[in-house]
Structure formats: structure tokens, C-alpha cells
Amino acid sequence: MVLPPVSDADLDRAFAALADPVRRAIIARLSRGAATVNELAEPFEISKQAVSKHIQVLEQAGLVSRTRDAQRRPVHLEAARLEAMTAWIDRYRLAAEQRFRALDAVLEHSTAPGSARATTQISTDKEKQS
Amino acid sequence: MVLPPVSDADLDRAFAALADPVRRAIIARLSRGAATVNELAEPFEISKQAVSKHIQVLEQAGLVSRTRDAQRRPVHLEAARLEAMTAWIDRYRLAAEQRFRALDAVLEHSTAPGSARATTQISTDKEKQS
DNA sequence: TCCTTGATCAACTAATAGGTTGATTACAAC
DNA sequence: GTTGTAATCAACCTATTAGTTGATCAAGGA
């Protein structure tokens, strides 16, 4: 499976798109299957035009795509872009967690209360995260 | 590990926070260890005040926290909030992928033998008509 | 053809976000 | 005390965004 490259600007748009509760609800709905604009607009109080704009934002973010079916324009979820987002997050989340575990292991072996704390920075990290 | 509840507004702020390339770069830097505002501001062309604002945004999003060390206010990554974001995304991404696989399996058995074109795009189109 | 439905386009408004510069707070070293 | 350093506060500017209403387009169905 070939994954297309995801640029910095792509991530900008993808994260910004999911920063809105209406758009996240649309994503949640689409995870159960494709839907038209009218179907997607039904649960919300806002106008159909506003929902159409939200879908455009999601489409430009690469999170959804649209096909054609007579007058209808069914919207589909693009799971690949969601995957690219988790890939970005996990890259740094896992790096940080691994660093914390390594730090815990070090402190495990040097439990010397009262000794000089030359590394206030590191010990602060430990206290905050454990 | 105790995971605190993450509200809708929390997700709003978290996703909006990662929608900015400067803030994503800050997260990437912090995954290698805590840093001060001056250290974080160094790679960027923008003013230190602007970086300070970015850190406030990340802090209000629950993605970083700050401790105290004399005049310095070292910034730490909060991996738990990153994990909450991937949890949200994966919930719907995996649901969609599972649905696609199930549809592919159906098309595998019902379509004429010869060419298997049960791609996700086509399967969603067919799914809509059911 | 005319009418209905699905969806977008266009223009406008109010609120928010990212950036700037200048002043101010908090702490430490001398 | 005075000075130097780390960081934030305050005021301001500009661009973007989410929402509105009204008009328009595109495709079927009578």
C-alpha cells in the first residue's frame, strides 16, 4: 500500500479541520458509511450552507472525498489522512514515553535521598510525569 | 495509568493547537526533553513573545505543562493528551477500515470472477445504494 | 416544458488568531 | 540597592473563520 506524502500544510489543514466539534461529528458519522450533505446537516441546528462549508474544509484537508450520484454528492471518509495524523502524533508521543521510561530506570538505580541534585531539570521532569 | 476524561472542548483546543506548524515543531522539540521559552524560540524567526503565546495555547490545550526553576519556566510535553487525540482518531479510523474490509469481503464473493476491483472507493459507492 | 430537490455560490458580519512593539514582573548575581 | 536575564502583560493590527441570508446551478420526474 503506497502512502502519499503528507506535507506540513496538509497537516495544518487536517488538524485545523478536526478542531471543530461539528466537523468531528461529521467524521464520526461518516465512519459508519457515506452520506449526503442533507443527511449530514440533519442533526445540526445550523444552516445547510454552513454544513456544506464544513465539508469543503474537510475535503481540502484530505479527510473526506466526494463522488457523484445524480444531484447528490455523497461524502466518503478518507481513512488514510486520519492515519497520517496518528502517525505524526505517535512519532513524538512514543519518543517522549520512551524517554520517560529510560529516566525512570536511571532513577531506580540511583535512589540517594539527600544527595546533591545537580540536575534539577531532570528531576522536575520525573516528578511531573510519573 | 489513570486517564482523565477529555471533553469536547478539550479536543477542540488540542486539535487547534496542533494545526500550527510552529506549535508542532515545539511539540517535536519537547519530545526530546523539556526546554525553556528562550530555547524553544531560538529556531524561529518570530519574536519571543509570539512563541510564549504559542506555548500558552499548547498549555491550555493540555499538551504541555510548565514548572518553575528560578526565573526559568521549563516546558514539558504531556503525552497523555497526545494519546487522547490518537484515541479519538483511531476510534473512527478503525471503524471505517473495518467496514471497508467487510464490504470487500462481500464483493469478493458476489462479483463476477475475473477481476477483483473491490477498492474502498468503489465499495463505498455501492454501499450507499443499499 | 415546468417543478422539485440537492447543493453550491456570493456577499456580508462578528469573533478569533497570529503577529508586532513597548512596558512590566520575578528572580538572581553582584 | 542595582543590574541583568527570563518571561509575561498590554495594546494594537491584519487575516481568517464560522455563521447568516438570498440567489443560482444541475439533475430528475411529472
Side-chain angles (χ1 to χ4, degrees):
Chain A
M1 183 178 184
V2 177
L3 292 181
V6 177
S7 73
D8 222 45
D10 286 332
L11 285 176
D12 285 5
R13 285 187 282 267
F15 280 113
L18 293 194
D20 187 287
V22 171
R23 289 195 289 261
R24 282 203 306 281
I26 290 174
I27 293 293
R29 166 64 186 81
L30 291 178
S31 74
R32 297 197 298 274
T36 66
V37 174
N38 273 339
E39 288 167 353
L40 291 172
E42 199 274 326
F44 302 107
E45 301 269 305
I46 62 178
S47 67
K48 194 177 61 172
Q49 288 96 321
V51 173
S52 188
K53 277 192 187 180
H54 279 303
I55 294 170
Q56 283 183 54
V57 171
L58 289 168
E59 190 177 26
Q60 289 204 309
L63 287 164
V64 306
S65 61
R66 279 185 276 195
T67 50
R68 192 94 207 202
D69 173 27
Q71 313 103 302
R72 294 173 191 78
R73 256 147 279 191
V75 184
H76 315 262
L77 193 61
E78 289 289 338
R81 185 52 51 93
L82 286 178
E83 191 177 5
M85 297 178 75
T86 55
W88 189 93
I89 296 174
D90 282 344
R91 173 175 178 180
Y92 300 108
R93 177 173 71 85
L94 297 175
E97 286 174 353
Q98 190 170 342
R99 202 173 51 80
F100 290 145
R101 277 194 297 273
L103 206 55
D104 283 348
V106 168
L107 294 176
E108 192 78 14
H109 286 289
S110 63
T111 54
S115 63
R117 303 169 78 100
T119 56
T120 308
Q121 188 66 43
I122 293 176
S123 60
T124 308
D125 289 350
K126 168 66 168 74
E127 287 166 8
K128 188 76 192 112
Q129 286 296 333
S130 56
Chain B
M1 185 191 296
V2 176
L3 292 180
V6 177
S7 72
D8 222 46
D10 286 333
L11 285 176
D12 285 5
R13 285 186 281 267
F15 280 113
L18 292 195
D20 187 286
V22 171
R23 288 193 291 259
R24 283 202 306 279
I26 290 175
I27 293 292
R29 165 64 185 82
L30 292 177
S31 75
R32 298 196 298 274
T36 66
V37 175
N38 274 338
E39 288 167 351
L40 291 172
E42 198 273 326
F44 302 107
E45 300 270 303
I46 62 178
S47 68
K48 194 177 62 172
Q49 288 95 321
V51 173
S52 189
K53 275 193 189 181
H54 280 303
I55 294 170
Q56 283 183 56
V57 171
L58 288 168
E59 188 176 27
Q60 289 204 308
L63 287 164
V64 307
S65 62
R66 278 184 277 195
T67 51
R68 193 93 207 203
D69 174 27
Q71 312 102 302
R72 295 174 188 78
R73 256 148 280 191
V75 184
H76 316 261
L77 193 61
E78 289 289 339
R81 185 52 53 92
L82 286 177
E83 190 176 6
M85 297 178 75
T86 55
W88 189 93
I89 296 175
D90 282 345
R91 173 176 178 180
Y92 300 107
R93 177 172 72 86
L94 297 175
E97 286 174 353
Q98 190 170 342
R99 202 172 52 79
F100 289 148
R101 277 194 297 273
L103 274 165
D104 283 348
V106 167
L107 294 175
E108 191 77 14
H109 284 50
S110 62
T111 51
S115 63
R117 50 179 48 101
T119 68
T120 56
Q121 190 61 51
I122 292 176
S123 61
T124 42
D125 288 340
K126 290 192 181 303
E127 188 269 346
K128 188 210 68 58
Q129 298 169 357
S130 60

